[in-house]
Amino acid sequence: MKVAYFCDTFAPQINGVSTTLEKLRAYALKNNIETVFLVPDYPETQPNDKNVYRFLSFPLFFYKECRVVIPPVFKAEKILDEFKPDLIHAYSEFGISLAAIRYAKKKNIPIVSSYTSNFNSYLHYYNMDLVSPILENYLNWFHNNCALTFCPSEMTREYLFQKDIKRVDIMRRGVDPSRFSPTFRSDAFRKKSGVKEGALLFTYVGRISPEKDLDILMESITSIKAAYGDKAAFAIVGDGPYLHEMKQRMGNKAHFTGFLKGRDLSVAYASSDVFVFPSTTETFGNVVLEGMCSGLPAIVPNAGGVVETVTHGQNGLIVPPRDSAAFTNAMKRLLDSPRLCMAMRDRALQTAQTRSWERVFELLFDRYARLVEEKIG
């Protein structure tokens, strides 16, 4: 099978989608599956890969980590005419993927899409609610022009059904235990994060931006530090437009690492004790699974795809969305019960062990094959 991928994010950018595509590309290479990737260019240095084609791009003004490519219609057509794909997968809904839809329709090739980000939910955090109906209509048009839309969780599938996007299937996410593991634990990282002997380190990893509901986390940090002092420490891992304000408000209550990747990110996870993630806008939340693979129970809101990774009272705690008091009480529960925290740590590891990328992609390519057969039939 030959598959062409279109996406508005890719390496060297690091996020849930680019990580998934990196793992997918490695799986295809290992299994002798031919692929091409049509993706944005970036200002920084990029790897020179023979099956990756990059196009001039610019950042979304309200979400700069996502790049938009002016649809490279004729260049994309030339690349695909030479490659002759059996199926096209549009991994994002904007610029470059419009060329994917055009080509698939023109050549009568099956095309599938992915719904990976709740962009419509993000608009509220940027005071852009007036744009919401326009964006919703566009996304509905885009996904309904595809044979199938993949999303990472049952909750997201239900949301898409409500939006009249009916042909939806689940493509879950995996985690790499060689990258995320308790073996990366580092006393040096804990010391740098201000962790005193016997204290718990609560860590957030992700984009530092309003749509991650970090105002809730800041309120909880303030309450916990007032009640527990040095018995609790906090690390904030990531970068984004909310970072400056967050640093100003938190002062020395939390350690800000900035953006981390590779071994440094592995160390940050493994050196922590509890993963805290207040975001209500996640379609899945890869970072929660990465934290569990590093041995961290998670505290998450009862919203979005994260609740399909966390089982309340088993491998973490689920609290009402945007409720700082409930979030604080969940932290207190783990601070007051080290035995419970350790039991949840073991179950978090067990959860991660069932989520291999290999199985995720086996199921994906089986689904591709059925769609191609249906088209031929």
Side-chain angles (χ1 to χ4, degrees):
M1 177 178 289
K2 300 170 76 172
V3 185
Y5 294 92
F6 287 71
C7 194
D8 283 320
T9 183
F10 201 71
Q13 191 172 52
I14 298 176
N15 54 46
V17 174
S18 64
T19 297
T20 300
L21 290 174
E22 175 190 353
K23 296 297 181 184
L24 193 156
R25 190 162 171 256
Y27 174 88
L29 184 64
K30 176 183 174 183
N31 291 277
N32 299 313
I33 300 168
E34 292 184 69
T35 59
V36 291
F37 292 80
L38 287 78
V39 298
D41 63 358
Y42 292 92
E44 58 264 45
T45 303
Q46 300 152 44
N48 186 20
D49 299 310
K50 64 179 183 179
N51 67 332
V52 177
Y53 298 88
R54 296 184 182 271
F55 299 89
L56 184 65
S57 66
F58 58 91
L60 274 175
F61 70 93
F62 70 94
Y63 200 89
K64 296 186 184 302
E65 283 76 6
C66 184
R67 314 254 335 161
V68 175
V69 178
I70 297 172
V73 174
F74 299 110
K75 188 174 180 181
E77 190 167 316
K78 182 179 179 182
I79 291 167
L80 295 181
D81 279 345
E82 292 176 1
F83 179 65
K84 294 180 170 52
D86 299 302
L87 179 138
I88 294 172
H89 191 152
Y91 238 92
S92 54
E93 300 98 337
F94 301 106
I96 199 166
S97 292
L98 292 173
I101 284 185
R102 181 183 185 276
Y103 188 86
K105 298 299 181 187
K106 182 177 180 180
K107 301 291 184 176
N108 198 31
I109 295 171
I111 180 169
V112 299
S113 61
S114 284
Y115 186 91
T116 59
S117 298
N118 276 328
F119 284 112
N120 224 350
S121 299
Y122 296 174
L123 294 177
H124 174 71
Y125 294 87
Y126 294 89
N127 299 313
M128 295 175 61
D129 295 288
L130 289 175
V131 181
S132 183
I134 299 170
L135 179 59
E136 185 172 308
N137 287 336
Y138 171 78
L139 292 175
N140 188 289
W141 169 85
F142 184 92
H143 290 292
N144 282 328
N145 265 283
C146 297
L148 189 65
T149 294
F150 290 101
C151 70
S153 64
E154 289 289 350
M155 189 166 287
T156 305
R157 174 156 64 177
E158 287 302 315
Y159 169 80
L160 293 176
F161 283 162
Q162 292 170 14
K163 298 299 179 182
D164 292 324
I165 299 170
K166 301 301 185 186
R167 297 184 299 273
V168 183
D169 206 346
I170 302 291
M171 177 194 163
R172 301 196 185 278
R173 306 277 174 79
V175 68
D176 184 350
S178 69
R179 286 190 60 194
F180 303 104
S181 164
T183 59
F184 288 101
R185 194 170 179 89
S186 162
D187 289 336
F189 182 90
R190 290 176 67 82
K191 183 177 180 181
K192 192 173 182 180
S193 300
V195 183
K196 305 298 183 184
E197 186 175 351
L200 288 187
L201 176 57
F202 297 84
T203 295
Y204 167 87
V205 177
R207 188 170 188 256
I208 313 300
S209 55
E211 75 274 6
K212 300 297 183 180
D213 297 295
L214 292 170
D215 56 326
I216 299 299
L217 180 58
M218 287 191 287
E219 290 174 17
S220 294
I221 290 173
T222 300
S223 297
I224 290 291
K225 291 300 285 185
Y228 288 82
D230 288 341
K231 292 182 181 178
F234 296 87
I236 309 297
V237 179
D239 198 359
Y242 202 44
L243 181 60
H244 179 69
E245 181 177 340
M246 201 171 180
K247 281 184 173 181
Q248 283 190 320
R249 289 177 60 180
M250 287 292 92
N252 61 3
K253 294 187 185 77
H255 170 59
F256 291 85
T257 70
F259 179 77
L260 298 179
K261 63 180 180 179
R263 183 182 176 84
D264 290 337
L265 180 58
S266 304
V267 167
Y269 276 119
S271 305
S272 307
D273 299 299
V274 180
F275 189 69
V276 286
F277 197 63
S279 175
T280 58
T281 61
E282 304 303 308
T283 58
F284 181 78
N286 290 53
V287 288
V288 176
L289 192 54
E290 291 168 1
M292 286 188 173
C293 200
S294 305
L296 309 185
I299 301 174
V300 301
N302 189 16
V306 293
V307 297
E308 291 174 36
T309 303
V310 179
T311 302
H312 183 69
Q314 296 296 311
N315 55 17
L317 297 171
I318 299 174
V319 300
R322 289 200 55 79
D323 187 333
S324 62
F327 212 89
T328 301
N329 287 334
M331 288 192 233
K332 286 181 177 179
R333 185 176 173 187
L334 297 182
L335 281 161
D336 293 339
S337 180
R339 184 176 296 179
L340 175 63
C341 195
M342 285 302 297
M344 286 186 175
R345 172 187 174 89
D346 292 340
R347 295 188 195 110
L349 282 166
Q350 291 168 13
T351 299
Q353 287 166 2
T354 67
R355 305 292 183 91
S356 75
W357 279 115
E358 189 82 10
R359 184 57 179 157
V360 168
F361 296 136
E362 283 176 3
L363 293 171
L364 176 66
F365 278 92
D366 282 348
R367 195 70 181 92
Y368 285 169
R370 280 185 280 146
L371 285 168
V372 171
E373 288 173 6
E374 289 169 9
K375 191 74 173 180
I376 294 172

